[in-house]
Amino acid sequence: MNWLQALVLGVIQGLTEFLPVSSSGHLEIGQALLGTSGEENLTFAIVVHAATVLSTLVVLWNEVAWLLRGTFTTLKWNSEKDYAAKILVSMIPVFVVGMFFKDEVEALFGNGLLLVGICLLVTAFLLALSEWIQNRRQTSGHEVRYSDAFIIGVAQACAVLPGLSRSGSTIATGLLCGVKKESVAQFSFLMVLIPIMGEAFLDMLKMIKGEVVSELDLLPAAVGFVAAFITGCLACKFMIEIVRRQRLVWFAIYCTIVGSIAIITTLV
């Protein structure tokens, strides 16, 4: 992988991590189009995922700081502890998948563009359905409840499939549960921080131990990291505003087009 390929893939990762179009699916499509392959893909994925975690922390730092202060500076139960507890509840499904089905999930990422295309169509359906139902509701919705947190967590666990957007699935599921638009976007981005940081930490340990052989040079890694971080910051802010304005249907159309092209390309 050269620095230009890393730049393109870093931009793809940064934009699609937060937009409801599947970062894993687009990264796989991008790698197929650019002809990158081998162990460097896994190493690059670790690097750019770390960049998007950092971009989330930067954009939502006020919310993260609010949670940390309220959770660890007092023993009394408060709104911050309540919110943190809901995030922990949302992590239960992805923890179960990661603990007991990790090998099966990783095997899915070698199934090519057909699976990506199918999952993109599922993402499009979820986005369109959630906006259609939201438009017909009489109320603006409620704040995230514990039951909502668990159901949204199930959506996040299912989104390990390449092509099934994590942000799209969790936001759409939250809207289907009746959660406020403003609340579900913030919760969706905050709930993923711990799982992604944990996964990145474990992957880093594998690299240090030599279980993952890095074939990625320093320059492509640095370019990819910076590109993913900058575009991730922009995409995170943009996505929160998009959900507030309720314009998810355009992403549903986009996922339908890209998913259909991926399927047709595979079958022809």
Side-chain angles (χ1 to χ4, degrees):
M1 182 183 298
N2 58 45
W3 71 268
L4 184 58
Q5 292 171 323
L7 176 64
V8 173
L9 293 175
V11 170
I12 291 174
Q13 168 64 27
L15 290 176
T16 58
E17 178 66 30
F18 300 102
L19 301 183
V21 294
S22 176
S23 61
S24 61
H26 277 71
L27 202 57
E28 189 159 332
I29 291 173
Q31 289 168 343
L33 292 175
L34 294 174
T36 61
S37 60
E39 292 292 342
E40 64 179 9
N41 280 352
L42 177 57
T43 306
F44 185 80
I46 295 171
V47 170
V48 293
H49 271 98
T52 50
V53 169
L54 183 60
S55 65
T56 307
L57 290 173
V58 169
V59 174
L60 297 177
W61 176 248
N62 289 335
E63 290 80 3
V64 173
W66 168 75
L67 275 177
L68 293 175
R69 283 195 303 268
T71 302
F72 297 108
T73 59
T74 178
L75 295 178
K76 294 182 179 180
W77 188 261
N78 52 25
S79 59
E80 293 92 333
K81 283 186 172 64
D82 184 67
Y83 199 94
K86 291 172 184 175
I87 290 179
L88 291 177
V89 168
S90 74
M91 290 168 52
I92 294 174
V94 76
F95 174 79
V96 171
V97 171
M99 286 295 293
F100 301 105
F101 303 102
K102 191 174 189 299
D103 293 338
E104 289 79 359
V105 169
E106 289 180 347
L108 292 172
F109 283 80
N111 288 346
L113 298 184
L114 179 60
L115 178 61
V116 171
I118 294 172
C119 288
L120 281 170
L121 294 183
V122 174
T123 298
F125 173 75
L126 286 173
L127 293 172
L129 179 63
S130 65
E131 183 156 325
W132 182 76
I133 291 179
Q134 183 76 10
N135 286 334
R136 279 153 182 76
R137 280 206 177 98
Q138 301 299 319
T139 62
S140 61
H142 53 261
E143 297 296 331
V144 178
R145 300 176 297 204
Y146 283 95
S147 57
D148 301 323
F150 183 79
I151 295 172
I152 295 172
V154 172
Q156 178 178 237
C158 293
V160 297
L161 293 171
L164 190 57
S165 168
R166 186 205 61 79
S167 61
S169 299
T170 54
I171 290 173
T173 300
L175 292 175
L176 291 173
C177 291
V179 180
K180 290 181 180 179
K181 300 187 295 293
E182 301 82 359
S183 301
V184 72
Q186 176 178 298
F187 187 80
S188 171
F189 294 146
L190 289 175
M191 66 184 279
V192 77
L193 283 176
I194 297 177
I196 287 186
M197 285 191 294
E199 183 179 2
F201 177 73
L202 292 176
D203 287 335
M204 289 293 183
L205 287 180
K206 288 182 180 179
M207 290 176 61
I208 293 172
K209 293 179 180 178
E211 296 177 22
V212 174
V213 180
S214 175
E215 297 179 358
L216 188 65
D217 293 333
L218 180 59
L219 179 59
V223 170
F225 183 92
V226 173
F229 172 74
I230 294 174
T231 54
C233 288
L234 297 174
C236 186
K237 292 180 180 179
F238 177 71
M239 188 59 203
I240 292 174
E241 188 60 31
I242 283 293
V243 175
R244 287 173 179 164
R245 296 185 181 184
Q246 212 163 314
R247 293 292 185 270
L248 296 178
V249 66
W250 298 109
F251 293 104
I253 295 172
Y254 172 81
C255 288
T256 300
I257 294 172
V258 176
S260 299
I261 292 175
I263 293 173
I264 294 170
T265 302
T266 304
L267 297 179
V268 172

